[in-house]
Amino acid sequence: MKNILIIGSTGQIGSELAMKLRREYPGGNVVAGYIKGAEPKGELLESGPSHLVDITDAAQIAEAVDKYNVDTIYNLAALLSAVAESKPQLAWKIGLGGLFNTLEVAREKGCAVFTPSSIGSFGPTTPHVKTPQDTIQRPETMYGVTKVSGELLSDYYFHRFGVDTRSVRFPGLISYVAPPGGGTTDYAVDIYYSAVKGEKFKCPLKPGTFMDMMYMPDALRAAVEIMEADPTRLRHRNSFNIASMSFDPEIISAKIKEHVPGFEMEYELDPLRQEIADSWPDSLDDTCAREEWDWKPEFGLEEMTVDMLKNLRVKLGK
Ligand code: SER
């Protein structure tokens, strides 16, 4: 990787991935692709090039790839699971139409492509505990439909056209920089904000709702390491299970209480999010990622909680 285009660079993952790639690949261009209304600001704007790239417009992707001689595209454009249920047509247009545009540009111009998949690519008939790498994927959300279709389409472009597509299935991602927008796992970010602000947290999911979660530094490292992996070792491509921790609302709340003794949580259930969460795995088996490209997480719930609280206190001036 040298010249990299990030589509969706101002979102929850993109804003941090762009800065990490600029630090790690100082000799190349890391282009922050953005859409109107979500322009890069501050450090992201000032530390490197940016380019208008609406993923639904293939010509804009091609223009940015040509201008910066891009060899690798990180495609991070998506509507998250809950918001995608209110706009399923748009979710398809961005998730699958956008991926198709990206893969076509990559095929014509010889780029590698990373497109994250998700725990949302699984569904109610998937084995929920230690979900295997290769298993049933029959999601019932539009988000999941776009993710599992995206895995298939990405593998197709690799086998049929030799496009170097690779990806991981992200768990819920927890970070303090940019907020996620409209996902089912967002509660595990929001809970830290409430704890630092001294507010009682209203949890949208019921006790016992287990999902895989991951701290952003591990997720970013996974996104870089999979693209740098030795291709001769990869038996899978789209997309690898990765995991670092699994918890339910009671467990994360108790962990936060260890560090913020006055913290309180009550339940105010969101039926849509609950239904989605119930259809997703409780925990993924990431053996294949460990074996094929040496994936290994660094943050557990304790380390993440300490780091989140420390950084949010600074960010919120608390
Ligand atoms: N974080 C995503 C969501 O909740 C799942 O990948 O929609």
Side-chain angles (χ1 to χ4, degrees), residues 138-149:
R138 305 290 291 178
E140 291 184 351
T141 61
M142 178 50 93
Y143 179 71
V145 169
T146 65
K147 287 301 180 192
V148 76
S149 308

Side-chain angles (χ1 to χ4, degrees), residues 10 34-39 41 52:
T10 58
Y34 64 92
I35 52 169
K36 285 206 180 81
E39 288 81 3
K41 290 191 258 215
L52 183 69

Side-chain angles (χ1 to χ4, degrees), residues 12 79-83 117-121 143 147 169-173 180-186 211-213 273 276 280:
Q12 189 203 11
L79 296 189
L80 290 183
S81 57
V83 75
S117 186
S118 160
I119 53 173
S121 69
Y143 179 71
K147 287 301 180 192
R169 295 179 182 132
F170 279 137
L173 298 183
T184 302
T185 57
D186 296 11
M211 287 186 285
D212 264 302
M213 301 281 180
R273 283 185 166 79
I276 295 174
W280 288 357

